[in-house]
Amino acid sequence: MKTVLLIVRDLKLRQLLKSGLEARALQIFSAANGREGASIARRETVDVVVVNILGLEEEIDTLFSAMRAEVRAPILLLTTSDDESGEVAGVSLSADDYVIMPVGIRELTARINTVHRRALNFPHSTEILRAGNILLDPGRYAVYVNDLPVQLTPIEFHLLKTLILATGKAISRPDLLAEIQPISPKISPRSIDVHIRNLRAKLSKLTSHYYIETVYGVGYRLSIPK
C-alpha cells in the first residue's frame, strides 16, 4: 500500500481528500502546514507528498525545502492556476508535477500513482560526481560549490548532473529535454532555458567561474576553467 503525505491548510478539503484517497486503497498521513508535514515525514515512510498551495503561499518555499530535506519522495503540487502559470509554480518550487484544482479523486489517484511510478523507474546513480569545484552527490540529493551547499530543484539537479556527465561536450536542448521528461513529463522545450538560467544564477552566487556556456544553435555545455 502506497503512503501519501497530504499537506492541505483547509480542514474541510483536507478531510475530503483524505477520505477519498483512503477509499482508493492509499494510506494517508495528513497535515495542515509544513511544520506538521515535516514532523510526519521524520516519523513515517512516505511514497508521495501532495501539497495544496492555497493557504500555504507564505511558507511554501520553506515547506518544500523541508520536504526535500526529510524525504526522497516525489512532490505533487495542487494549484488553482491555469496550465501555464501552474507550470511556472512547479518550476519555481521543487514540485515533480502539478495538478489543476478542482480535481476528482480518481484523477488525483492516477497522478499520485504516476509520479510514484516515475520515481521508481527513474535511474538514480549514487556515484559522487565532481567537475571543478562542483560536487554532486546523487545519493544525498545534494550539490556543493566550494564546499558550500546549493539548493536546487529536482529539474535543476538533473540538468546539472547531465551536464557534469558530459563535461566539455555540447548537449542539445532536445537531449536535455529527454533527460528531464521522466521526472517532469509536462516540461516544455522553452522551459529548459529558464531552468538553465536559474541554475546559472545559483551557481554564480558561490563562484566567479562561468560554468554553463551557451552553444548557439545547439544547446549548452559545462566548461571547467583550467
Side-chain angles (χ1 to χ4, degrees):
M1 178 182 291
K2 284 188 284 293
T3 59
V4 176
L5 173 55
L6 181 67
I7 305 176
V8 178
R9 172 75 74 185
D10 184 78
L11 175 60
K12 186 177 294 186
L13 178 59
R14 186 167 70 250
Q15 292 176 334
L16 180 65
L17 292 176
K18 184 175 186 294
S19 61
L21 292 172
E22 286 176 336
R24 293 277 173 175
L26 296 171
Q27 182 179 7
I28 306 299
F29 299 106
S30 62
N33 52 52
R35 180 179 53 80
E36 292 180 11
S39 177
I40 292 172
R42 282 190 289 269
R43 301 193 312 265
E44 308 291 346
T45 299
V46 175
D47 295 312
V48 178
V49 179
V50 177
V51 179
N52 181 23
I53 194 172
L54 188 62
L56 297 173
E57 293 88 349
E58 293 184 1
E59 64 166 303
I60 197 68
D61 289 332
T62 55
L63 187 157
F64 270 66
S65 295
M67 287 301 101
R68 289 301 179 193
E70 297 295 342
V71 298
R72 292 291 302 277
I75 299 177
L76 182 63
L77 180 69
L78 305 183
T79 175
T80 56
S81 304
D82 58 25
D83 288 342
E84 184 174 353
S85 37
E87 182 179 351
V88 170
V91 167
S92 60
L93 298 169
S94 54
D96 295 275
D97 204 350
Y98 69 94
V99 176
I100 304 298
M101 296 285 281
V103 62
I105 292 297
R106 177 181 296 180
E107 181 184 350
L108 180 57
T109 303
R111 297 294 285 276
I112 289 171
N113 289 335
T114 297
V115 296
H116 180 247
R117 184 169 58 252
R118 288 204 310 261
L120 292 178
N121 292 339
F122 194 78
H124 289 285
S125 168
T126 58
E127 179 184 357
I128 292 176
L129 303 176
R130 290 181 173 84
N133 55 2
I134 300 175
L135 183 148
L136 186 145
D137 186 344
R140 297 176 59 195
Y141 215 87
V143 173
Y144 300 87
V145 176
N146 292 325
D147 297 324
L148 297 174
V150 183
Q151 296 296 322
L152 301 182
T153 68
I155 290 176
E156 292 163 359
F157 183 90
H158 288 291
L159 281 174
L160 181 59
K161 180 180 177 181
T162 301
L163 290 166
I164 289 176
L165 288 171
T167 297
K169 299 179 181 178
I171 305 179
S172 68
R173 288 177 179 82
D175 286 345
L176 288 172
L177 189 66
E179 290 292 331
I180 299 304
Q181 281 180 327
I183 63 168
S184 184
K186 289 189 174 184
I187 187 172
S188 61
R190 66 177 183 173
S191 295
I192 291 294
D193 294 336
V194 177
H195 290 294
I196 290 290
R197 185 167 64 245
N198 292 340
L199 179 57
R200 277 174 170 161
K202 292 179 179 181
L203 295 178
S204 67
K205 290 180 180 179
L206 298 176
T207 178
S208 59
H209 297 305
Y210 203 72
Y211 285 102
I212 303 176
E213 299 177 345
T214 299
V215 182
Y216 293 99
V218 180
Y220 297 97
R221 174 176 57 222
L222 182 69
S223 295
I224 304 301
K226 295 182 180 179

